[in-house]
Amino acid sequence: MDAHLLRTFVAVTRCGSFSRAADELGYTQSAVSQHIAALESDLGTPLLSRRPVQPTAAGRRLLEHAGPILVRLAAARAEITRMTQAPPDRLVVGVSPLAFVPEVVGANHVRVLPRVEVVTGVAQGTLDLGLVDGITAPSDPLNLPDVAPLAKAGVAERPLAVVLPADHPLAGRKHVKLADLADAQWIDAPESAIPLAQLRAASGTTGFRAALRYEGTHVPGLLEMATAGHGLALLPQTMVGGLPAVPVTRLVHRVERLTMPTQPGSGRSGVR
Amino acid sequence: MDAHLLRTFVAVTRCGSFSRAADELGYTQSAVSQHIAALESDLGTPLLSRRPVQPTAAGRRLLEHAGPILVRLAAARAEITRMTQAPPDRLVVGVSPLAFVPEVVGANHVRVLPRVEVVTGVAQGTLDLGLVDGITAPSDPLNLPDVAPLAKAGVAERPLAVVLPADHPLAGRKHVKLADLADAQWIDAPESAIPLAQLRAASGTTGFRAALRYEGTHVPGLLEMATAGHGLALLPQTMVGGLPAVPVTRLVHRVERLTMPTQPGSGRSGVR
DNA sequence: TGTTGTTACGTAAGGCGTAAGCATG
DNA sequence: CATGCTTACGCCTTACGTAACAACA
């Protein structure tokens, strides 16, 4: 199970086509066909159904491993490259939408990305610094996917608030326990608010089901939908403005700063 | 950076010798030499100092990635194998020393292993089921290394207690906050008690430094040392017996059950 | 019949072993 | 001088591309 083969496998599933994947990877489609055949014979089971090209059950399972493996391979290379070579002159900062803290303003290149991509970006060296947000109990670290060992530091912790319509039974309350809202109607807005998946993970329940999905990073639009009663949304209190919202107990919004464990250029061995 | 090369790299560092690694892997030592040379030329930096054979700074960094990558590759293969083939007739259970819960007694093959090896064992399919222990806040999941996506379930949560000499100032107290003991003299007994590293992680401090290291899984010996005043030890209260010990607030000892995400034999596709 | 994946085959590169070379203790 | 890593070289395997083939729409 060569890493090379895994790379073409994920490309094929992403493209949904051998030939398009071949173009993307700079192979002939014959080579791609041979790669998949090699993988399938190695694992002893078909990984793709052809025409249309879709992963089988086994293929889907493999996909779940392949991504992290490739990220980690890239991370290993990136880390060593960074140890050996001179630090880059640019400084690219990756930020998840709600992690935009004042610190960022000084950077000369900022990229707003989904949370996972901030983590993988820092790991693979495409980002020099990452700022990710999420929810936790006060002063607990975030539960980030550990695709690679990264240096993490808490940067900010702010209270959370649930945005709700003015006529909601809980409106005007001093605070709420999130657990009491597990069965409410939620809006899943993973880019402009706390993703419900994080809520479930932090609370250990299976509640917090989405009545509605909201894509994009346009927070005002989300706030409008929530106050109009289409569902609840959980955000850092500072982003709610003057709208009707109830502070949340026990959990906070936390921002962490990610870098590679080795400082850039710190280990320039062999250079005199 | 072929996975094959990584495998021989870790073997060489573990053996501290090209030739011994070659024996272990079934290569000639020439091949091993070529593997390392290939890696070093690929990454553009020396990874090992020869005579004696020791990893360089870059090599140490690579090692940190190589292990997990290889585990995850094995996990991918194991998971697909298990989906495809019939479930094994034996049932091997891996247990970390303090995770020995009554459930285990029914199994026909039990293996007591360090915590990490239980996790990697389940991931790679050498274990059919794992029981791991650790400390957390009540009803929080354990912070396990995610070498692969595994199915996790809480099995037990029991109170923790600090074992201390009878004449200790805290002896006889109703309970203690662990944070108050961060600067005490601790015994690091990772196999027979809670490892101090876990304590630091759970409390977010850098305290809990070891005065003494205790290796092995012989709990009575550890208890004797702790009551004799050589340092504190943190254990599940049930294992302390009648000895002087003070219950701990906020944190509990938790045991989790690990299996592969797919049930053995569940996805036997293509079999009619 | 066109599009897309598979198979056959020739060439080129890579990987491993044998054996000679070379550095270090 | 002996041990242990490196280099040189030959063989064999593997991997890719071209091109013919097959299957599905």
Side-chain angles (χ1 to χ4, degrees):
Chain A
M1 213 174 20
D2 193 355
H4 216 64
L5 304 181
L6 290 181
R7 203 166 67 98
T8 90
F9 176 65
V10 309
V12 168
T13 54
R14 190 181 49 248
C15 299
S17 150
F18 282 47
S19 20
R20 267 192 298 271
D23 284 351
E24 189 180 302
L25 299 170
Y27 286 120
T28 59
Q29 109 265 49
S30 164
V32 169
S33 183
Q34 291 176 51
H35 282 187
I36 302 299
L39 257 183
E40 292 184 324
S41 102
D42 179 17
L43 295 173
T45 190
L47 299 169
L48 293 170
S49 72
R50 327 292 152 107
R51 226 182 277 270
V53 171
Q54 272 180 341
T56 62
R60 281 191 297 273
R61 230 73 260 304
L62 181 60
L63 266 182
E64 216 142 304
H65 290 275
I69 289 172
L70 295 174
V71 169
R72 188 117 206 206
L73 277 164
R77 158 166 278 115
E79 204 172 320
I80 290 176
T81 310
R82 183 158 298 193
M83 278 183 76
T84 310
Q85 275 155 36
D89 45 359
R90 39 110 251 215
L91 183 82
V92 184
V93 181
V95 194
S96 64
L98 300 183
F100 213 97
V101 292
E103 276 197 19
V104 181
V105 179
N108 47 14
H109 191 156
V110 177
R111 216 179 279 174
V112 180
L113 298 165
R115 289 174 185 80
V116 213
E117 288 182 31
V118 174
V119 180
T120 58
V122 173
Q124 295 176 278
T126 54
L127 301 174
D128 301 293
L129 193 145
L131 290 164
V132 214
D133 73 295
I135 53 176
T136 41
S139 83
D140 269 14
L142 291 179
N143 251 342
L144 301 173
D146 68 341
V147 288
L150 295 177
K152 298 163 194 170
V155 162
E157 277 191 6
R158 300 171 190 286
L160 287 162
V162 178
V163 183
L164 31 67
D167 57 355
H168 192 281
L170 293 175
R173 284 264 300 260
K174 277 276 186 307
H175 44 75
V176 269
K177 273 200 306 192
L178 265 181
D180 298 339
L181 291 171
D183 297 324
Q185 295 273 73
W186 285 87
I187 303 176
D188 194 14
E191 294 170 78
S192 17
I194 309 293
L196 297 185
Q198 273 196 43
L199 259 172
R200 286 193 285 272
S203 63
T205 67
T206 58
F208 302 104
R209 290 298 158 180
L212 167 61
R213 192 175 166 85
Y214 181 92
E215 295 189 359
T217 56
H218 186 63
V219 177
L222 174 67
L223 293 178
E224 204 166 317
M225 297 200 67
T227 48
H230 293 288
L232 305 182
L234 183 67
L235 286 108
Q237 199 169 23
T238 51
M239 307 191 67
V240 172
L243 295 173
V246 180
V248 163
T249 58
R250 281 165 207 274
L251 291 177
V252 294
H253 181 247
R254 181 179 166 100
V255 178
E256 284 185 9
R257 190 190 119 104
L258 305 180
T259 51
M260 278 198 189
T262 46
Q263 282 318 310
S266 65
R268 249 190 291 178
S269 57
V271 178
R272 46 174 174 161
Chain B
M1 215 174 17
D2 194 355
H4 215 64
L5 304 181
L6 290 181
R7 202 168 67 99
T8 89
F9 176 65
V10 310
V12 168
T13 54
R14 190 181 50 249
C15 299
S17 150
F18 282 48
S19 21
R20 267 192 297 271
D23 284 350
E24 189 180 302
L25 299 170
Y27 287 120
T28 59
Q29 110 264 50
S30 163
V32 170
S33 182
Q34 292 175 50
H35 282 186
I36 302 299
L39 257 183
E40 293 184 323
S41 101
D42 179 17
L43 295 173
T45 190
L47 299 168
L48 293 170
S49 71
R50 327 293 153 105
R51 227 181 273 271
V53 171
Q54 271 181 341
T56 62
R60 280 191 298 273
R61 230 72 259 303
L62 181 59
L63 265 181
E64 215 142 307
H65 290 274
I69 288 172
L70 295 173
V71 169
R72 187 116 206 205
L73 278 164
R77 156 166 279 116
E79 203 172 320
I80 290 177
T81 309
R82 182 159 300 193
M83 279 183 75
T84 309
Q85 275 155 37
D89 46 358
R90 40 110 249 216
L91 184 82
V92 184
V93 181
V95 194
S96 64
L98 300 183
F100 214 95
V101 292
E103 277 196 18
V104 181
V105 179
N108 46 14
H109 190 157
V110 176
R111 216 180 279 174
V112 180
L113 298 165
R115 288 173 186 82
V116 214
E117 288 182 31
V118 173
V119 181
T120 58
V122 173
Q124 295 177 273
T126 54
L127 302 174
D128 300 293
L129 194 146
L131 290 164
V132 214
D133 72 296
I135 53 175
T136 41
S139 82
D140 270 13
L142 291 180
N143 252 341
L144 301 172
D146 67 340
V147 287
L150 295 177
K152 298 164 193 170
V155 162
E157 278 191 5
R158 301 173 190 284
L160 286 161
V162 178
V163 183
L164 31 67
D167 57 357
H168 193 280
L170 292 175
R173 283 267 297 263
K174 277 277 184 309
H175 44 75
V176 269
K177 273 201 304 192
L178 265 181
D180 298 339
L181 291 171
D183 297 324
Q185 295 273 75
W186 285 87
I187 303 176
D188 195 14
E191 294 169 76
S192 17
I194 308 293
L196 297 185
Q198 273 196 42
L199 259 171
R200 285 192 286 272
S203 63
T205 68
T206 57
F208 302 105
R209 291 297 157 182
L212 167 60
R213 193 177 166 85
Y214 180 91
E215 295 189 359
T217 56
H218 187 63
V219 177
L222 173 67
L223 294 177
E224 204 165 317
M225 297 200 67
T227 49
H230 293 288
L232 305 182
L234 182 66
L235 286 107
Q237 198 169 22
T238 50
M239 307 192 67
V240 172
L243 294 173
V246 180
V248 163
T249 58
R250 279 166 207 274
L251 292 177
V252 295
H253 181 248
R254 180 180 166 99
V255 178
E256 284 186 10
R257 190 190 116 105
L258 305 179
T259 51
M260 278 198 188
T262 47
Q263 284 316 312
S266 65
R268 248 190 290 176
S269 55
V271 178
R272 44 170 177 163

